[in-house]
Amino acid sequence: MAKTSFIFVLHFHQPIGQYRFVLERVQRNSYELLLRVLKEYRDLHLTLHFSGPLLMYWEKYFPEYLSEMRELIKNSNFEVLGGTFSESILAILPWEDRARQLREGVKLVEKSLGVTPRGLWLPERVWDPTLPPFLRDAGYRYVIVDDEVGYRSGLWRDDAHRAVLTEYGGKSIGVFFIDGPIRYILPWKPHGEVFNYLRNYATDNGSLYVLWGSDAEKFGEWWDPYAAEQWLRIFFSSLRSDPSVELITPSEYIKRHGFSGLAYLAPGSYDKMMEWSGGYFPNFLRKYREVNNMHKKMLYVREKLASLGASDSAWREYMLGQCNDAYWHGLFGGVYIPLLRQEVYSHLIRAERIAEEESSYYFGTPSIIKSFDFDMDGKDEIIIESKETNVYIKPSDGGSVFELDVKTPGAEHNLVSTMSRYPEPYLQGEKSLTPDWYRRVSFREHIWRRDANVYDWINNRPFIDTSDFALGEYVVEGVGDGKIVLSYTGRDWSDRQNPARIHLVKIYELVNEGKGLRVAYRWRNLEKRFIEPKLSVELHLLPRLSPDSQEEPLFVVDDNYSQKATEYFSSPWSRKVDFKTSMGHLSVASTKHAEVWVAPILTWFRTEKGLKSEFQGAGISFNYTVALNPGEIFETEVLLAWQ
């Protein structure tokens, strides 16, 4: 009788930085359900993958569950796949990190589940043709990719339903292809429709396979738990009794049918990922400056760890900072989820701090200042590093601060881990959602139109900024004694026929023993006439969030007015704004009174459940309406402090 070989792969994953309440909900709705069902069908030849972050979560929060899963695997016909240690995308990692992630991923599976994996689940199934040597050196015999990769590389239908070999540098690896169409019918369609599809690939010896590989969370989390469990039980029972479909693991398939030949596969992933990334995963680094920021921070920390001879504990934190979910955006929030960005930075900053402490990096000096092309855009950035804080300054982008790392042990955090608003295709037609025309970071300057208000500012009303300061390329006037001096000569175009030239000098300096950043401003009227500009110093900050709750940060103005950071506020005459969460305190103060605006950065992004709004940080603008005679100077200082 003709039969189809069917490979059924369940992929379990939760990202580094997941909210605790989400973990508990998915554990209850999906993972407990699946363990219960898998125990009853342990005779089936199923294939399972558990991501490194999830295994670590289970060890920490659900050790009994992990123990039960380990015992079940031991006494079943299941095959377990391996993966990278922190479910990192190999294609964007340095080659040395690829090897480390794969090697440590194998060790984690062996320690947690008691088995040595022979096959690899690629995070987000992102394939790169240079991977075979790394996979082979880690002990893997095969990898699972999407049929989209095969078809884009010139394979035919039957080619993508047989195991093939690919190689790079003379080292080969087996490849299995996930069948795209079946992912859209299983488990969403009736069982009969699924089995009819599988029978399309029936042969006398079962040499053609259909591989379903997708998220375990589809059973109970994405779909009603009761309906999901009933669907899965009927499906597994049918697999036991239907001779036209033979359930088989990848290793069993190789042993029985071997490989059909050699193929060379172009970079790629599943169809939706190809769409979201523009056909190549690293494009996310160009599409979102926040993603590129995290990625280049990762590369910089790696260089520091290697040069300082860092310990295993530092390297472990570094690898955790490579978890993929915050480095892209598709169906889920990805980079738009603040806690995911926060945790990437927390682990990278912690790795950096550990390496610095181990090597006495700051011995004999309170701070180190570096100038180099950090983000690899062809223009140098400046970094002030101290034992307590790192400040990242981009002269070519308004002389702004785009990263500010707090290095306090146990509270490591980037205070400027904010998210700008992008023109996502799925937001077209939403007239109230105007993308940002500059990156929402800190210490950027504007000259507002006199009638501009807080809503105009945060919602990007056109032409309310009458100057060219915001995107100006600032000149580095001086570096030394712990200070960075920048300057820019800009114009106020409020009178377009007669723009006013204004020279700005701003000086960055760490204060309060490295727990504060003071920025001194000196605005000078270069015209031979009187002017009255509305000068602005703008900051965007993300207070440290708690993974154990969904608390909303609060802010207090001038020590006497408190409200939620998700609300708007305007004061005609204030000097200080304090932000408070259960995780810390953040203060922004001006030496001169100003009109103060406070507003949330709210983004809308796509999820599997539709559009969702998210708080991405708080914006603060100190606005000074000044009167300047020819040559006259207005001076102020803004102090950012934290504890």
Side-chain angles (χ1 to χ4, degrees), residues 353-366:
R353 178 185 57 75
I354 292 171
E356 290 174 349
E357 290 177 348
E358 292 171 343
S359 63
S360 300
Y361 184 70
Y362 296 104
F363 180 76
T365 181

Side-chain angles (χ1 to χ4, degrees), residues 56-72:
M56 288 182 268
Y57 278 132
W58 281 346
E59 183 177 24
K60 182 177 181 179
Y61 297 121
F62 306 102
E64 292 184 4
Y65 181 91
L66 180 59
S67 178
E68 286 188 62
M69 184 64 75
R70 178 187 175 109
E71 187 64 24
L72 170 61

Side-chain angles (χ1 to χ4, degrees), residues 308-324:
L308 297 179
S311 64
D312 289 343
S313 61
W315 283 107
R316 186 178 188 277
E317 292 293 336
Y318 169 74
M319 286 192 293
L320 291 174
Q322 295 175 329
C323 183
N324 80 83

Side-chain angles (χ1 to χ4, degrees), residues 6 27 43 84 173 203 210 242 248 300 306 369 379 417 451 512 525 541 553:
F6 179 43
Q27 183 71 21
D43 58 303
T84 55
I173 192 76
T203 62
V210 174
D242 192 326
I248 190 171
Y300 177 64
I369 298 178
K379 298 179 180 180
S417 178
D451 62 346
N512 297 344
N525 177 11
L541 303 165

Side-chain angles (χ1 to χ4, degrees), residues 363-437:
F363 180 76
T365 181
S367 64
I368 297 172
I369 298 178
K370 300 178 181 179
S371 179
F372 65 100
D373 186 5
F374 169 82
D375 59 12
M376 299 186 185
D377 69 345
K379 298 179 180 180
D380 283 358
E381 286 71 47
I382 300 173
I383 304 178
I384 308 174
E385 296 181 333
S386 74
K387 184 178 179 181
E388 298 288 343
T389 307
N390 298 329
V391 182
Y392 289 64
I393 302 167
K394 191 169 181 60
S396 63
D397 184 30
S400 58
V401 171
F402 62 93
E403 181 176 335
L404 201 162
D405 301 334
V406 175
K407 299 158 81 172
T408 305
E412 296 88 350
H413 177 47
N414 171 16
L415 292 174
V416 193
S417 178
T418 49
M419 184 72 189
S420 304
R421 293 165 291 193
Y422 288 85
E424 301 289 0
Y426 53 81
L427 295 178
Q428 291 182 3
E430 300 288 341
K431 295 182 180 180
S432 62
L433 304 177
T434 305
D436 290 320
W437 55 277

